[in-house]
Amino acid sequence: MTQHARVWLITGASRGLGRAFAEAALAAGDRVVAAARNTAPLAELAEKYPDQLVPLSLDVADRQAVFDGVGRAVSAFGRLDVVVNNAGGMLYGMVEEATEEQIRAHMDVNFFGALWVTQAVLPHLRAQGGGRLLQVTSMGTGGGMATVGFYGAGKSALDSVSEALAREVEGFGIKVTVVQMGGYNTGLFTAGTTATEPLAQYQPVRTEMEAMWGDAVSPEPETAAPVIMELAALPDPPRRVIVGSQSFDHVMEMGRARTELYRSWESLSRLAPG
């Protein structure tokens, strides 16, 4: 470990992208506070890096627990240099199908959980004169997609708040980057998914979406880790970045399609003076 080892706080660190980011940081000689609701999967990693890794049991949906947990994270190594807001889940199903309980539970983790972590770490980052905050959102925040609309909604809300936050805290030396992830083999659609009770009327839409997704194999999470390590090292990181070559192309195409849509209805837009 080098004298200048950074200290990371990574939420959702027990599997998927969070686990890959933690492993990359540890391999680089950095120290990591790895937060997750279930820290048991981190036992092997903690044994391998006993002086660098501190598992932290944390439910990000519990605001008070988040503030208490961040306090413990700061105490573990004395500071925080890089905070990765990665914890999240998937609510799979049509908008009409989802129950209030499912929707609120989903947003409690994907949006409010990330917001609580953000609010909890800011005083510490400000007091120490700076730090990095990486807000993991999605390449799909530019528009909703059938069956995963609530996932997109939560990530879009975090995307928007983080853009505002970046402007608010830059004077304190805090750098905020919205990390728009592409599709990776994280287990999000299995272990991390809550499904709605299907309504028969929507079966044609489900069939269409399943055919569109097909049997494509997603890249492994560790292939995204170099982007995160580079972002943490950049002296002046971007405020947003798309992670994934194919995802970059797809987002660019979505942007062109949206621009064409707006242009096609420009005359309607210009009927109003505002």
Side-chain angles (χ1 to χ4, degrees):
M1 194 186 318
T2 67
Q3 184 179 358
H4 305 289
R6 294 165 297 194
V7 178
W8 297 62
L9 169 62
I10 303 173
T11 65
S14 63
R15 61 177 177 84
L17 290 167
R19 174 67 177 247
F21 300 159
E23 290 181 350
L26 292 167
D30 291 344
R31 293 168 289 182
V32 176
V33 178
R37 280 182 296 182
N38 177 18
T39 59
L42 294 166
E44 182 180 351
L45 205 57
E47 184 176 347
K48 183 178 180 180
Y49 297 98
D51 300 322
Q52 292 174 247
L53 178 67
V54 172
L56 176 67
S57 179
L58 182 64
D59 178 1
V60 297
D62 184 335
R63 189 174 189 270
Q64 187 57 56
V66 168
F67 275 76
D68 293 343
V70 166
R72 294 196 300 274
V74 172
S75 297
F77 295 117
R79 62 183 290 114
L80 294 175
D81 298 301
V82 186
V83 178
V84 185
N85 242 330
N86 168 75
M90 173 66 71
L91 176 54
Y92 178 78
M94 307 299 170
V95 171
E96 183 183 353
E97 295 170 347
T99 66
E100 179 181 355
E101 181 181 11
Q102 288 175 326
I103 297 167
R104 291 187 181 277
H106 180 77
M107 298 299 283
D108 275 346
V109 174
N110 282 33
F111 175 63
F112 287 108
L115 181 59
W116 305 152
V117 172
T118 297
Q119 290 184 329
V121 301
L122 285 176
H124 299 283
L125 300 182
R126 188 171 60 247
Q128 68 190 27
R132 304 296 174 87
L133 183 56
L134 306 183
Q135 307 282 66
V136 177
T137 67
S138 169
M139 59 167 281
T141 55
M145 183 176 292
T147 70
V148 292
F150 292 108
Y151 180 79
K155 293 299 187 181
S156 294
L158 179 58
D159 197 316
S160 181
V161 165
S162 299
E163 185 77 32
L165 175 70
R167 292 178 172 84
E168 295 170 358
V169 301
E170 60 185 349
F172 306 123
I174 302 171
K175 305 289 188 180
V176 179
T177 299
V178 175
V179 185
Q180 297 177 294
M181 300 301 305
Y184 289 85
N185 183 23
T186 64
L188 184 64
F189 276 94
T190 53
T193 293
T194 298
T196 61
E197 186 68 30
L199 292 173
Q201 294 91 330
Y202 288 105
Q203 188 53 47
V205 181
R206 291 180 191 279
T207 301
E208 179 185 349
M209 297 304 296
E210 290 168 1
M212 184 185 72
W213 286 327
D215 298 321
V217 178
S218 300
E220 292 303 312
E222 56 265 26
T223 62
V227 178
I228 299 300
M229 298 303 295
E230 181 70 14
L231 282 172
L234 288 173
D236 189 21
R239 283 189 175 170
R240 59 177 61 244
V241 66
I242 301 163
V243 180
S245 179
Q246 294 181 17
S247 299
F248 182 91
D249 291 339
H250 187 57
V251 170
M252 292 300 101
E253 181 56 36
M254 286 193 300
R256 285 190 289 270
R258 176 161 291 193
T259 298
E260 290 175 3
L261 176 63
Y262 284 145
R263 287 296 185 189
S264 68
W265 290 97
E266 181 178 358
S267 61
L268 181 59
S269 298
R270 294 191 182 280
L271 288 177

